[in-house]
Amino acid sequence: AQSVTQLDSQVPVFEEAPVELRCNYSSSVSVYLFWYVQYPNQGLQLLLKYLSGSTLVKGINGFEAEFNKSQTSFHLRKPSVHISDTAEYFCAVPVAGGTSYGKLTFGQGTILTVHP
Amino acid sequence: DAGVIQSPRHEVTEMGQEVTLRCKPISGHDYLFWYRQTMMRGLELLIYFNNNVPIDDSGMPEDRFSAKMPNASFSTLKIQPSEPRDSAVYFCASTYSGNEQFFGPGTRLTVL
């Protein structure tokens, strides 16, 4: 089964600074990859997804992620964060691998805290 | 669309009591997922349905947990009897043909 590892449990950053949240996946085959965001006291919301094609994926709220097959990574980046980006971020991959969306496995989450 | 609806949003109960969590998926979606989120274990998939049929319940922790989906617009997750270690946030999510999962706001369960 596929798995993902989020390398940082917490990332503090100042407002308007750049940020990178790291995610590595385990797979030797093509995969779909996802980043979800969870704002306080809310459910998860899809930020962006990699299906195929361009390795640079743009999502909502100015976030982007780069699929790197050689490093089996899918790091999330934003060039300038806002206070409102404070949330927990989850990387996810289909359990069965390949192109199946149905059953996802999530990383442990990275709490991004943006300070004024 | 109102999105995925879960009720109640908060539930406080005493150990040994039966707890029923409810979910209304987005209309037209054919997959429904139940997740549990805790600080210790993160986000865990408990069970998921396709066209109202349970497909994989390998994540259900034990026999005290059961889930049903009597029709395309309603699902329940029941815990009987409840225990303090069941305290968590329970999420329901739905999707159409295995595409993006849409999550509900969650039910925060506290078992005293």
Side-chain angles (χ1 to χ4, degrees), chain A residues 27-38:
Chain A
S27 175
S28 59
V29 297
S30 298
V31 294
Y32 284 359
L33 290 158
F34 307 85
W35 275 101
Y36 280 81
V37 60
Q38 184 179 27

Side-chain angles (χ1 to χ4, degrees), chain A residues 40-107:
Chain A
N41 300 312
Q42 295 186 27
L44 278 70
Q45 177 183 357
L46 184 67
L47 259 184
L48 50 79
K49 60 190 176 191
Y50 171 77
L51 306 180
S52 64
S54 173
T55 57
L56 185 63
V57 180
K58 294 190 182 298
I60 61 172
N61 301 338
F63 283 92
E64 62 183 32
E66 185 159 17
F67 171 65
N68 188 319
K69 188 174 182 178
S70 63
Q71 297 186 7
T72 60
S73 68
F74 190 56
H75 301 333
L76 181 70
R77 302 186 182 103
K78 186 169 182 177
S80 176
V81 294
H82 301 287
I83 297 286
S84 60
D85 292 323
T86 294
E88 190 162 13
Y89 293 78
F90 294 90
C91 185
V93 66
V95 171
T99 59
S100 169
Y101 277 79
K103 182 176 176 178
L104 299 178
T105 186
F106 289 84

Side-chain angles (χ1 to χ4, degrees), chain B residues 22-112:
Chain B
R22 297 173 176 79
C23 175
K24 177 179 169 55
I26 292 173
S27 177
H29 282 190
D30 54 355
Y31 283 81
L32 184 140
F33 305 82
W34 281 102
Y35 292 90
R36 178 173 68 176
Q37 186 178 39
T38 62
M39 290 290 292
M40 291 297 293
R41 301 173 69 91
L43 193 64
E44 304 172 277
L45 176 66
L46 300 178
I47 185 172
Y48 78 95
F49 297 82
N50 178 218
N51 292 322
N52 314 337
V53 177
I55 302 301
D56 184 348
D57 65 353
S58 60
M60 296 285 262
E62 48 198 276
D63 292 345
R64 296 185 297 107
F65 286 69
S66 62
K68 294 182 180 179
M69 192 165 184
N71 57 61
S73 59
F74 184 66
S75 177
T76 59
L77 178 68
K78 186 175 294 186
I79 308 172
Q80 166 64 18
S82 58
E83 297 183 3
R85 59 191 169 123
D86 301 330
S87 297
V89 181
Y90 291 81
F91 289 102
C92 177
S94 70
T95 180
Y96 172 68
S97 292
N99 290 303
E100 174 190 345
Q101 292 189 27
F102 290 84
F103 282 74
T107 295
R108 183 174 296 276
L109 173 65
T110 303
V111 183
L112 303 174

